[in-house]
Amino acid sequence: MWDYTEKVRDHFLNPRNVGVVENANGVGEVGSLSCGDALKLTIRVSDNDIIEDAKFQTFGCASAIASSSALTEMVKGLDLNEAAKITNDDIAEFLGGLPKEKIHCSVMGRDGLERAIADFRGEVVKETQGNVVCECFGVTDLEIERAVKEDNLTTIDEIIHHLKAGGGCGKCHDDIEAIIHRVRGEATMEIIKPVRMSNMQKIKLIESTLEREIKPALQKDRGDIELVDVVGNKVYVRLQGSCATCSKSQITLKNHVEAKLRELVTQELIVEEVK
Amino acid sequence: MRTIYLDNNATTRIADEVLEEMIPALTNLYGNPSSMHHKGAEAGAPLALARERVASLLGALPEEILFTSCGTESDSTAIHAALIANPDKKHIITTMVEHPAVKTYCEDLEKKGYRVTYVPVDRKGRIDLNTLYANLSKDTAIVSVMWANNESGTIFPVEEIAKKVKAAGAVFHTDAVQAVGKVDINLADSAIDMLSLSGHKLHAPKGVGALYIRKGTRFAPFLMGGHQEMGRRAGTENHSSIIALGRACTLAAEKMDEENTRVKDLRDRLEKSLLESIPNSFVNGDLENRLPNTCSISFEYVEGESILLMMNEFGICASSGSACTSGSLEPSHVLRAMGIPFTAAHGTIRFSLSIDNTDEDIDTVIECLPGIIHTLRQMSPFWAEAMAAQGK
């Protein structure tokens, strides 16, 4: 059984604001029957941009219903610009947290709100206009990109928990992986490299680059790498697992490990293997 | 709050009679059955009795019974044994609706170079026998078809399939975890080579199962490193649970009639009443060939986890084939293989009864569930749409 908070239980068993707002001037619809959950959010916005009323209709599990109910409580009375700032984390937090497999319920709430506001303003939500990557759940590349950036996601599982994308047949996993890589690649380029690093800073940056950029790729092929020492600009590493017995390990070391460390730490680095 | 336990295909309560026989094994009979002293002998005797009792329920010989840790181990052992014993054969036939114990193992074998045919089922969950037979070949090592499906309750004609499989020179295995105790089984008169069963589905504890291996079937052990179970399954026996399983099997034999009369009547009453009182609902499975205790029922435009949690507020325990309960995102592979429409697959509930259930249990469900479905439908955007489309 899921470990739902009392607040989730309360909003599920006693949902607030179920139904359709009369004279609504903003409607947001997300999800579908085949996806297993769906939300229709209706709002009425006053002349001075205040959300006067909000109601929901939701098909879905307890956390989907609770997230929708929470959302309506959160936005009622809010200025439109303030409401637009509500994130899925805010919804989850309002409920005292959600199981990680259920984060997508809070994302559905956020998306419903975003679409209702866009509908009121006569706009279209940009993310829905992308190319569909996950056919099972109809999730676009732009939605995945956004989740990777805003929620700082790094793995397929996290994407599945947030967006459901990739949670069906699994055929799109390579495409999702590519998006994560592309977006994260861009993000890592933004790591601020101190102009003059102390030895301590340099070692820390080497360590974190190994952890984040290099190890996961090697571990995918059942290999691994361990940092042994840093002397000046020489980085001594030990290859482990299948890397240790791989005929191409020297190529990996120079073309991948050294190149990445030079890119993200400093151009002067030389990587050497310790057996 | 009173518990109304209607999830017996997931697991059952340990019967009082069964527990009673277990206690001495957990206290006084602490010897290792393999030991050469009186404490060993004292522990060995009830073990032999348990083997006889399991064999008797199945119409088998005691030496054809191998005790395992669970149904899953029995399934893995059976498939593994058939493949090792027939190293030249690289083809397996199974169905699209098997329990993950068989399904996932077969999927893994595909990665290791075996070819697996997954036979489809129709809307009622009935297996496509023509496809199964058409795929039998000299390369087929084993055919594994469950006796009865855990979700729909549909019973497969395994005895008929076993004969055809035998004629084709392959081994036939059946996962009978859900069928044992509910369906008459007489292996002496059948062509079934191997059969898996699990203790906790028939009022014995969790952590014990058995595999029937027809005398003369070529076998290779899955666990090695000991002479237990005549060298076919190494590891010190789960002594008290095996004794419990033995008693559970005699109990199952005693209660089989009740399962097929009183329990079946309760199930039928539940089903009929729910269909009458809840619009847009339907029952899944092959109504003519179905386990007497199982009811798979779909409610359109609502989601299963919500139904389960609302029922839980009334003490009712059931399960769902919906995605959200399992943490996966799609409805169960069984419902998908049966082609249950998406309007209903997510809102499918399985009630599975046992001899423990009473009229009062069923009354409570009949009383509570229509209101729950109504509440959830009032919340569902699709219900309003569907009603508008129907002009209601």
Side-chain angles (χ1 to χ4, degrees), chain B residues 263-335:
Chain B
V263 175
K264 180 174 179 292
D265 289 347
L266 288 179
R267 190 272 314 265
D268 290 345
R269 184 161 77 83
L270 170 72
E271 215 163 73
K272 188 163 171 281
S273 171
L274 292 180
L275 288 175
E276 278 169 9
S277 60
I278 303 174
N280 295 67
S281 59
F282 55 82
V283 170
N284 303 301
D286 179 4
L287 303 192
E288 278 81 52
N289 290 294
R290 198 161 51 128
L291 293 175
N293 77 321
T294 306
C295 164
S296 166
I297 183 163
S298 297
F299 305 104
E300 288 191 294
Y301 310 111
V302 286
E303 200 279 328
E305 183 199 290
S306 293
I307 303 172
L308 290 184
L309 292 182
M310 284 200 175
M311 285 202 295
N312 192 48
E313 292 295 308
F314 296 95
I316 304 168
C317 309
S319 76
S320 123
S322 92
C324 285
T325 48
S326 57
S328 89
L329 294 169
E330 293 195 312
S332 85
H333 68 284
V334 176
L335 297 175

Side-chain angles (χ1 to χ4, degrees), chain B residues 62-98:
Chain B
E63 60 265 34
E64 292 177 320
I65 303 300
L66 178 72
F67 289 116
T68 65
S69 66
C70 57
T72 300
E73 188 197 322
S74 298
D75 289 339
S76 288
T77 303
I79 296 169
H80 172 262
L83 297 179
I84 297 290
N86 300 283
D88 299 336
K89 299 184 174 186
K90 300 289 179 200
H91 179 226
I92 301 163
I93 299 179
T94 185
T95 76
M96 288 176 81
V97 295
E98 292 302 308

Side-chain angles (χ1 to χ4, degrees), chain B residues 238-280:
Chain B
N238 182 357
H239 188 240
S240 57
S241 294
I242 289 172
I243 290 166
L245 175 59
R247 182 65 184 96
C249 283
T250 58
L251 185 70
E254 289 160 25
K255 302 284 184 181
M256 186 128 35
D257 272 348
E258 189 183 337
E259 279 275 1
N260 284 282
T261 51
R262 189 182 70 81
V263 175
K264 180 174 179 292
D265 289 347
L266 288 179
R267 190 272 314 265
D268 290 345
R269 184 161 77 83
L270 170 72
E271 215 163 73
K272 188 163 171 281
S273 171
L274 292 180
L275 288 175
E276 278 169 9
S277 60
I278 303 174
N280 295 67

Side-chain angles (χ1 to χ4, degrees), chain A residues 82-111:
Chain A
E82 287 302 308
K85 289 181 196 154
I86 289 176
T87 65
N88 51 293
D89 278 344
D90 295 335
I91 298 171
E93 202 177 305
F94 181 92
L95 290 167
L98 286 172
K100 72 177 191 305
E101 292 85 354
K102 296 285 188 177
I103 299 286
H104 61 84
C105 297
S106 62
V107 175
M108 180 167 84
R110 194 251 347 242
D111 287 354

Side-chain angles (χ1 to χ4, degrees), chain A residues 5-267:
Chain A
T5 63
E6 272 309 309
K7 199 133 188 215
V8 171
R9 267 175 51 89
D10 177 35
H11 276 265
F12 164 60
L13 294 171
N14 310 295
R16 281 63 146 181
N17 314 306
V18 177
V20 179
V21 170
E22 246 178 82
N23 305 323
N25 50 15
V27 181
E29 289 182 272
V30 211
S32 71
L33 260 176
S34 60
C35 292
D37 49 16
L39 160 66
K40 182 176 177 182
L41 179 74
T42 49
I43 54 174
R44 190 173 64 244
V45 183
S46 71
D47 293 341
N48 54 349
D49 274 6
I50 301 291
I51 300 180
E52 288 176 337
D53 201 1
K55 288 190 173 175
F56 79 92
Q57 287 179 310
T58 290
F59 160 79
C61 55
S63 57
I65 291 170
S67 293
S68 308
S69 168
L71 173 70
T72 55
E73 287 286 276
M74 290 165 78
V75 301
K76 270 176 39 170
L78 270 195
D79 177 88
L80 212 51
N81 289 323
E82 287 302 308
K85 289 181 196 154
I86 289 176
T87 65
N88 51 293
D89 278 344
D90 295 335
I91 298 171
E93 202 177 305
F94 181 92
L95 290 167
L98 286 172
K100 72 177 191 305
E101 292 85 354
K102 296 285 188 177
I103 299 286
H104 61 84
C105 297
S106 62
V107 175
M108 180 167 84
R110 194 251 347 242
D111 287 354
L113 174 63
E114 210 168 62
R115 287 175 202 193
I117 293 174
D119 180 54
F120 169 75
R121 288 174 170 162
E123 296 164 358
V124 176
V125 175
K126 180 184 92 185
E127 278 75 16
T128 58
Q129 303 297 301
N131 298 314
V132 172
V133 173
C134 168
E135 300 270 352
C136 297
F137 294 105
V139 184
T140 69
D141 51 355
L142 296 178
E143 288 174 295
I144 297 170
E145 272 176 28
R146 176 186 182 181
V148 172
K149 270 188 213 153
E150 290 184 3
D151 296 315
N152 208 14
L153 309 185
T154 56
T155 65
I156 296 254
D157 276 349
E158 286 173 344
I159 297 281
I160 294 174
H161 294 154
H162 272 70
L163 299 176
K164 300 170 83 168
C169 69
K171 278 185 199 146
C172 60
H173 282 193
D174 284 348
D175 297 335
I176 294 177
E177 199 104 53
I179 294 174
I180 296 175
H181 213 74
R182 196 175 70 227
V183 177
R184 302 290 303 174
E186 285 164 12
T188 49
M189 292 302 282
E190 288 160 17
I191 291 177
I192 305 147
K193 285 185 238 167
V195 185
R196 279 174 52 210
M197 279 183 284
S198 69
N199 268 335
M200 194 58 163
Q201 285 172 319
K202 186 161 70 185
I203 292 168
K204 276 197 166 159
L205 195 52
I206 291 170
E207 268 179 343
S208 66
T209 305
L210 279 174
E211 284 298 327
R212 211 170 38 208
E213 300 291 329
I214 296 168
K215 279 190 166 195
L218 299 184
Q219 283 164 354
K220 250 180 96 175
D221 294 325
R222 299 180 182 201
D224 210 345
I225 192 165
E226 176 195 10
L227 180 63
V228 178
D229 205 355
V230 180
V231 183
N233 279 327
K234 283 202 171 173
V235 182
Y236 294 96
V237 296
R238 186 177 289 123
L239 290 171
Q240 295 169 324
S242 61
C243 293
T245 52
C246 172
S247 59
K248 297 188 186 70
S249 65
Q250 289 311 308
I251 301 172
T252 304
L253 213 58
K254 289 292 159 190
N255 289 4
H256 180 60
V257 181
E258 190 174 278
K260 204 77 195 170
L261 287 174
R262 283 181 172 188
E263 179 195 335
L264 297 175
V265 185
T266 165
Q267 281 299 327

